[in-house]
Amino acid sequence: MSIPIVSTKLYIPPPRAKAVPRPRLIERLHEGMHRKLTLISASAGCGKTTLVSEWLAGCPQPAAWLSLEEADSDPARFLTYLFAALQTIGIHSGEGVMGRLQAPGPLPMETMLTVLLNKITAIPDHFILVLDDYHVIDSRPIDDAIGFLLERMPIQMHLVIATREDPNLPLARLRVRDQLTEVRTADLRFTSTEAAEFLGRVMGLSLSQEDVAVLESRTEGWIAGLQLAALSMQGHKDAASLIQSFTGSHRFVLDYLVEEVLQQQSASIQAFMLRTSILDRLCGPLCDAVLCGETDELLSGQETLQYLERANLFIVPLDNERRWYRYHHLFADLLRQRLYQTVGSSKGEAKRDVAELHLRASEWYEDHGLDLEAFHHAAAAHDVERAVRLIEGEGMPLLFRGAIAPVLNWLDSIPKEELDARPVLSVMHASALLMVGQPADVERKLQAAEKGLRDAAQDDKTRDLKGHIAAIRATLAVNTHQADAIISESQRALDYLHPDNLPVRTATTWTLGYAYQLQGDRAAASQAYTEALSISRRIGHLMITLMATLGLGNIQEADNQLYVAAETYRHALQLAGDPPLPVACEAHLGLARIYYEWNDLETAMHHGQQAVRLAQQLQHTDRVVAGEVVLARLKLARGEVTEAAASLAKAEHIARRQNFVKQTPHIVAAQVLVLLHQGLVAAAAHLAQKHELPVSQARVHLAQGEASAALALLQPLREQAEAKGWEDERLQVMVLQAVALHAQGEKIKAVQLLVEALTIAQSGGCIRTFVDEGIPMRRLLREAVTHERMPNYAGKLLEEFEEERLNGESKSGPRQVRTDKSLIEPLSTRELEILQLIAQGLSNHEISGRLFLALSTVKGHNRSIFDKLQVKRRTEAVARARDLGLL
């Protein structure tokens, strides 16, 4: 049966039944609850954890507890346990956050903490968060994260940090603001009275008042020193002489007392503690497996752990069931040092003996389904073969299960000759580097692996390794959008990979889909994405599930299935978690484009900005450039021409600096639009011609009044789009053709083509494709309505045109009509037009139909007219307008 491990870090140690009461300190902690932080900073063994657990036992507020260890210096691991600790008191970080923490790439620490703070702000009750043993954390990002948390901490939350040294936090500022309660070593020292009670009632010693005073003075009230001294005195007849021999600093006293404590125990207990000191956490069955019957004691591992707890031998229970324990950190360190001194007759033999202990632990963890812990001990044993097998896993490698950092750290620690001798290690190293966004050294690792495979036997394992190499190269080619290279390497990968290697084969299927998409074969791309999505869901490969979902969204968007595509992108965001993985920038980009097309510019801008923010967390990607182009189009639609040009200049700079040549056509096409809006037709023509962009050239021809030249460019593009089934490009070309035909005087053909385009566009709700063409399209739509061709959809687009005009007036200032000075605010041109129709006796519905405006828009104009004329009724408005000479 598997024994849970994660929960042991989150367990609040129970107060000791025989602990010495510390009312003065408990009261200080209670009084400090109105402040943000309680800092308990003192040397090892001062009773920090005991004090906090006793305080919490009598505290009405719920508490979340996180016991830290050195491995928690990894930000992802730290946040994982932090969120898990808060979940124990009902504060959830949000769905998908664990997937984000296990994913490669840099973490958006502030974003994740902001999400958490928002959730905390929403809860009504106060609570306490305890970070125990914070001194083991050696990570500036984590220090910064805690500082960020303190700066913005809601009043519902109180933070307690127990540590051996002051953390790298703004303590001085917190003191000045009266936001810090401090408990230091001097505060935790036992007084003579407390020491006497501890030594007598708790440790069961009968000492004179003088002996207690000497011992308290020699240990300076250090609780661990007192406890160790008491343990070493048990069984000694002359306690006074032993007390007099205690000299030196705490470190030397501790070394001496540990020697004395160990020597007072039986050989079996000594052997148990020394050999089990290799474990970060201990449970009975695990200890039995590590010892493997090497002790003479008849007690089982579980019974021995319970004995150590009763004897106060520096062991801490980690759960209510007393199944999992740990040694005091300092005591464990000393046990490990002594372990190497006591096993084996030589240094080399000692290493072999300790390695054997690690291997036993690794086997036990593997048998209980805890592969990551099993790998940790295999690595500590320097058993490379076993470590490699555990990394590869059975069906799903550790790398794909979120254990990238420990695997990569181990690979970085292996000597080069060891790596070169084992091609599988080089492949793993390359894969790990690629997953954390460090592609620079990937090819060198792959070449080293290939060199090592030249003389290897050509068995299934070797072939599978060659296939994995090709799959990694295919993914590298995805980053640079090299379709031919992706296909070549992907096909080679599928030829070599073992049929059972589903994780890598599925990733390769996805890379093929991306290559087909680059080539314009959308049907093949969709089929590949669908296959990759089906398998990745079945085997639990989160990243490929996400990437294949994004790929399908791209295809749906290109096919003008905008509603379906939007739902796919939203699902991708759910998969990416909250806060999202950086690759979710692609979903935000898709939603930005779709909402732009739907003319919801505010929502589109939100997604565009999110896309750029997430893309900035990725290395060696052109997604930032793509995002800036989308933002430029949005700004242009809002009339912010200068700002749009600035966004494109930024995009162009990044693309040139990093050689993102695939983005050049998109940048130039948007630049042509900006130049045309600025009236710089010659510059737009030069740019479109230089980069050979036929659609942009057609737009320039239309701006120059050369409709026939535009049509000559557009017809081949339409034929190509229809032949390949590119619905998005087909629609765009048809719209431009309709505008060109109308400009050329072929109004009937223009309307017929426009109606065909409207039919295609209607299912996807396309708007900007038409509105972006400006006044020529507005005229053409009115022609269609006049001929009663798709009046509803054409009328809707005309309403959007009107809203566009009104928005433009509100930004640039409406064109005013000269009126009498007695009018508070002049009427706009549109308001005068509506006023004239009111005077003619037309109803709101009739005005709506006459001007192709929504009824709500007409009513809005009415209210504005009434306010400006200072009237309440239509008849009053007409009379007032005539008095002012407006009619």
Side-chain angles (χ1 to χ4, degrees):
M1 179 177 65
S2 177
I3 299 176
I5 287 183
V6 172
S7 62
T8 62
K9 293 173 64 66
L10 316 178
Y11 174 69
I12 302 177
R16 295 177 180 272
K18 295 184 178 182
V20 175
R22 313 294 298 274
R24 57 188 175 88
L25 294 178
I26 297 295
E27 183 62 25
R28 183 187 298 187
L29 297 181
H30 278 309
E31 292 176 351
M33 278 293 291
H34 71 281
R35 301 184 178 97
K36 286 187 174 184
L37 172 64
T38 293
L39 176 67
I40 305 175
S41 181
S43 56
C46 285
K48 301 181 290 295
T49 300
T50 299
L51 173 64
V52 177
S53 64
E54 290 175 357
W55 169 52
L56 293 180
C59 195
Q61 290 84 3
W65 185 287
L66 176 55
S67 295
L68 299 167
E69 54 187 320
E70 187 175 353
D72 296 330
S73 292
D74 174 67
R77 180 184 171 103
F78 176 85
L79 287 183
T80 298
Y81 282 122
L82 175 63
F83 292 151
L86 292 171
Q87 286 179 7
T88 64
I89 58 172
I91 301 174
H92 298 276
S93 56
E95 296 182 3
V97 72
M98 293 305 177
R100 171 65 190 94
L101 291 169
Q102 295 175 356
L107 287 175
M109 298 280 282
E110 291 189 0
T111 301
M112 302 179 82
L113 289 174
T114 300
V115 172
L116 177 63
L117 288 170
N118 290 336
K119 293 184 179 295
I120 291 173
T121 303
I123 66 174
D125 301 324
H126 288 70
F127 72 95
I128 300 167
L129 170 63
V130 179
L131 301 180
D132 195 19
D133 288 335
Y134 190 83
H135 57 271
V136 302
I137 297 298
D138 183 16
S139 170
R140 182 69 194 193
I142 293 178
D143 290 337
D144 292 342
I146 297 300
F148 179 89
L149 190 66
L150 282 167
E151 186 67 24
R152 296 160 177 80
M153 185 182 295
I155 60 173
Q156 296 96 320
M157 179 177 178
H158 182 74
L159 178 63
V160 178
I161 293 179
T163 178
R164 293 181 190 172
E165 57 187 37
D166 282 3
N168 188 17
L169 297 173
L171 300 180
R173 185 165 72 239
L174 292 170
R175 288 191 194 100
V176 171
R177 296 177 177 176
D178 191 29
Q179 295 175 339
L180 174 65
T181 298
E182 296 178 82
V183 177
R184 299 286 179 175
T185 299
D187 303 310
L188 288 167
R189 290 172 181 164
F190 272 177
T191 64
S192 295
T193 301
E194 290 171 337
E197 183 176 3
F198 173 77
L199 293 169
R201 183 173 64 83
V202 177
M203 301 304 297
L205 296 177
S206 180
L207 301 176
S208 67
Q209 186 175 355
E210 181 181 356
D211 286 339
V212 172
V214 171
L215 190 56
E216 189 273 331
S217 175
R218 293 289 174 89
T219 61
E220 299 184 47
W222 182 40
I223 302 170
L226 287 169
Q227 184 178 21
L228 285 169
L231 289 171
S232 63
M233 283 187 287
Q234 290 176 354
H236 281 261
K237 294 181 180 181
D238 190 0
S241 298
L242 184 60
I243 291 172
Q244 292 295 328
S245 67
F246 290 151
T247 60
S249 67
H250 288 172
R251 180 168 60 87
F252 295 113
V253 170
L254 182 59
D255 288 345
Y256 174 79
L257 292 177
V258 168
E259 294 280 348
E260 287 296 310
V261 169
L262 287 175
Q263 290 176 0
Q264 299 303 313
Q265 303 303 315
S266 68
S268 294
I269 293 298
Q270 290 187 51
F272 180 94
M273 289 192 292
L274 290 173
R275 284 164 170 74
T276 58
S277 67
I278 67 162
L279 303 170
D280 293 330
R281 295 175 178 81
L282 308 91
C283 70
L286 174 57
C287 292
D288 290 335
V290 170
L291 293 170
C292 197
E294 290 184 1
T295 64
D296 298 329
E297 191 70 40
L298 297 178
L299 297 176
S300 67
Q302 184 63 31
E303 291 169 330
T304 304
L305 290 172
Q306 292 172 349
Y307 163 77
L308 295 178
E309 183 186 4
R310 289 194 302 272
N312 292 316
L313 287 174
F314 301 98
I315 194 166
V316 180
L318 296 174
D319 55 42
N320 290 315
E321 293 79 20
R322 294 303 202 263
R323 298 173 69 194
W324 285 96
Y325 296 82
R326 68 165 174 84
Y327 288 118
H328 183 285
H329 291 313
L330 184 56
F331 188 63
D333 291 340
L334 293 168
L335 287 174
R336 290 165 190 153
Q337 293 174 10
R338 187 169 178 84
L339 175 63
Y340 278 96
Q341 298 171 0
T342 57
V343 299
S345 58
S346 65
K347 187 175 181 180
E349 187 176 344
K351 287 185 177 180
R352 287 192 296 273
D353 289 345
V354 174
E356 178 61 28
L357 298 176
H358 280 294
L359 283 176
R360 294 172 186 171
S362 179
E363 291 171 357
W364 187 90
Y365 277 121
E366 184 181 11
D367 290 343
H368 288 76
L370 300 167
D371 291 347
L372 182 56
E373 291 77 9
F375 162 74
H376 166 75
H377 284 284
H382 306 291
D383 189 332
V384 177
E385 294 293 339
R386 180 175 182 80
V388 169
R389 181 175 60 77
L390 288 166
I391 292 174
E392 290 177 328
E394 294 183 4
M396 184 63 68
L398 280 179
L399 284 173
F400 296 161
R401 285 184 271 167
I404 302 170
V407 171
L408 186 57
N409 290 338
W410 176 66
L411 290 168
D412 286 338
S413 70
I414 296 177
K416 183 178 182 301
E417 56 272 16
E418 184 76 33
L419 285 171
D420 292 343
R422 300 173 186 270
V424 65
L425 293 180
S426 294
V427 174
M428 287 181 180
H429 211 168
S431 183
L433 289 170
L434 190 60
M435 293 179 73
V436 296
Q438 300 176 17
D441 287 338
V442 169
E443 181 58 33
R444 183 169 59 84
K445 298 292 182 185
L446 296 180
Q447 291 178 3
E450 288 177 327
K451 182 179 179 181
L453 288 173
R454 288 173 187 168
D455 298 327
Q458 298 303 304
D459 53 15
D460 288 346
K461 189 172 183 178
T462 301
R463 286 183 57 82
D464 189 70
L465 206 55
K466 289 181 177 179
H468 199 165
I469 292 171
I472 293 173
R473 285 202 172 110
T475 307
L476 277 175
V478 165
N479 291 339
T480 52
H481 313 295
Q482 301 176 46
D484 292 341
I486 296 171
I487 292 175
S488 175
E489 294 295 343
S490 296
Q491 290 176 340
R492 174 178 170 82
L494 293 175
D495 288 341
Y496 277 89
L497 286 168
H498 193 278
D500 294 337
N501 192 347
L502 291 180
V504 181
R505 293 185 71 89
T506 305
T508 304
T509 302
W510 170 78
T511 58
L512 273 174
Y514 188 79
Y516 297 147
Q517 186 176 348
L518 288 174
Q519 292 181 330
D521 191 346
R522 295 174 182 175
S526 180
Q527 182 178 351
Y529 288 148
T530 302
E531 181 182 349
L533 182 60
S534 174
I535 299 174
S536 62
R537 282 174 173 169
R538 177 161 54 87
I539 65 177
H541 199 322
L542 174 63
M543 283 302 297
I544 296 303
T545 299
L546 175 57
M547 298 307 295
T549 300
L550 289 171
L552 286 175
N554 288 158
I555 299 299
Q556 292 160 356
E557 182 187 352
D559 287 342
N560 286 333
Q561 301 176 41
L562 300 190
Y563 294 104
V564 177
E567 189 61 33
T568 300
Y569 286 136
R570 293 188 195 103
H571 179 58
L573 289 179
Q574 292 176 351
L575 292 172
D578 182 15
L581 299 168
V583 75
C585 66
E586 193 65 40
H588 281 295
L589 273 175
L591 288 170
R593 292 189 297 264
I594 290 172
Y595 278 103
Y596 173 84
E597 185 59 47
W598 289 341
N599 208 23
D600 185 347
L601 301 186
E602 183 177 350
T603 304
M605 182 63 72
H606 164 74
H607 284 293
Q609 291 169 341
Q610 287 289 95
V612 171
R613 183 184 62 81
L614 288 171
Q616 289 170 341
Q617 300 174 25
L618 297 170
Q619 297 180 4
H620 307 291
T621 175
D622 62 1
R623 295 297 84 192
V624 171
V625 175
E628 290 292 345
V629 172
V630 170
L631 291 178
R633 294 291 303 273
L634 282 164
K635 292 171 183 176
L636 190 60
R638 299 200 305 191
E640 301 167 0
V641 182
T642 302
E643 292 82 351
S647 290
L648 291 173
K650 180 179 180 180
E652 184 178 23
H653 173 72
I654 298 172
R656 285 183 176 178
R657 187 181 63 196
Q658 301 193 34
N659 196 32
F660 293 147
V661 294
K662 292 288 185 180
Q663 287 300 320
T664 300
H666 304 291
I667 297 171
V668 173
Q671 286 174 329
V672 168
L673 291 174
V674 170
L675 291 170
L676 291 176
H677 271 74
Q678 294 173 325
L680 303 174
V681 180
H686 172 74
L687 199 59
Q689 180 67 32
K690 177 183 176 181
H691 291 275
E692 299 180 349
L693 300 178
V695 172
S696 295
Q697 288 176 288
R699 292 188 185 282
V700 171
H701 286 311
L702 287 172
Q704 294 170 331
E706 301 170 354
S708 59
L711 288 169
L713 284 169
L714 293 170
Q715 184 58 33
L717 294 179
R718 180 180 172 185
E719 293 172 358
Q720 180 187 49
E722 289 175 345
K724 294 187 176 182
W726 295 350
E727 290 300 309
D728 53 344
E729 297 194 17
R730 178 190 176 203
L731 176 61
Q732 181 187 49
V733 171
M734 289 172 66
V735 168
L736 286 173
Q737 282 182 310
V739 171
L741 287 169
H742 193 264
Q744 196 168 255
E746 300 183 51
K747 295 184 178 181
I748 296 178
K749 285 186 177 180
V751 170
Q752 289 175 341
L753 188 57
L754 175 63
V755 170
E756 188 178 348
L758 291 171
T759 303
I760 296 172
Q762 188 172 19
S763 62
C766 299
I767 294 174
R768 292 302 314 187
T769 294
F770 300 91
V771 174
D772 283 343
E773 301 309 320
I775 294 175
M777 176 54 66
R778 183 179 179 180
R779 293 171 181 160
L780 184 52
L781 285 167
R782 283 182 170 172
E783 290 275 353
V785 172
T786 301
H787 289 81
E788 298 184 352
R789 305 297 296 272
M790 296 194 73
N792 292 336
Y793 196 57
K796 176 185 177 182
L797 292 175
L798 285 171
E799 289 178 12
E800 297 290 344
F801 267 108
E802 178 60 19
E803 289 296 327
E804 186 95 349
R805 188 189 66 79
L806 291 174
N807 289 336
E809 285 184 354
S810 66
K811 290 186 177 182
S812 62
R815 183 165 58 92
Q816 304 296 341
V817 178
R818 185 176 180 179
T819 61
D820 188 275
K821 291 183 180 178
S822 63
L823 190 60
I824 295 176
E825 183 179 356
L827 302 180
S828 69
T829 302
R830 175 61 79 184
E831 288 167 348
L832 262 181
E833 186 178 12
I834 291 176
L835 182 58
Q836 290 169 348
L837 295 176
I838 291 175
Q840 294 173 21
L842 273 67
S843 68
N844 287 338
H845 283 284
E846 291 171 332
I847 295 173
S848 172
R850 177 74 64 88
L851 298 181
F852 303 102
L853 296 177
L855 181 60
S856 59
T857 302
V858 173
K859 291 180 179 179
H861 283 306
N862 284 350
R863 287 193 296 269
S864 178
I865 293 169
F866 292 175
D867 288 341
K868 291 179 180 180
L869 295 177
Q870 302 178 65
V871 299
K872 294 183 178 180
R873 299 177 180 84
R874 290 164 63 96
T875 54
E876 293 175 352
V878 172
R880 175 70 169 152
R882 285 181 175 146
D883 288 342
L884 295 171
L886 300 177
L887 294 174

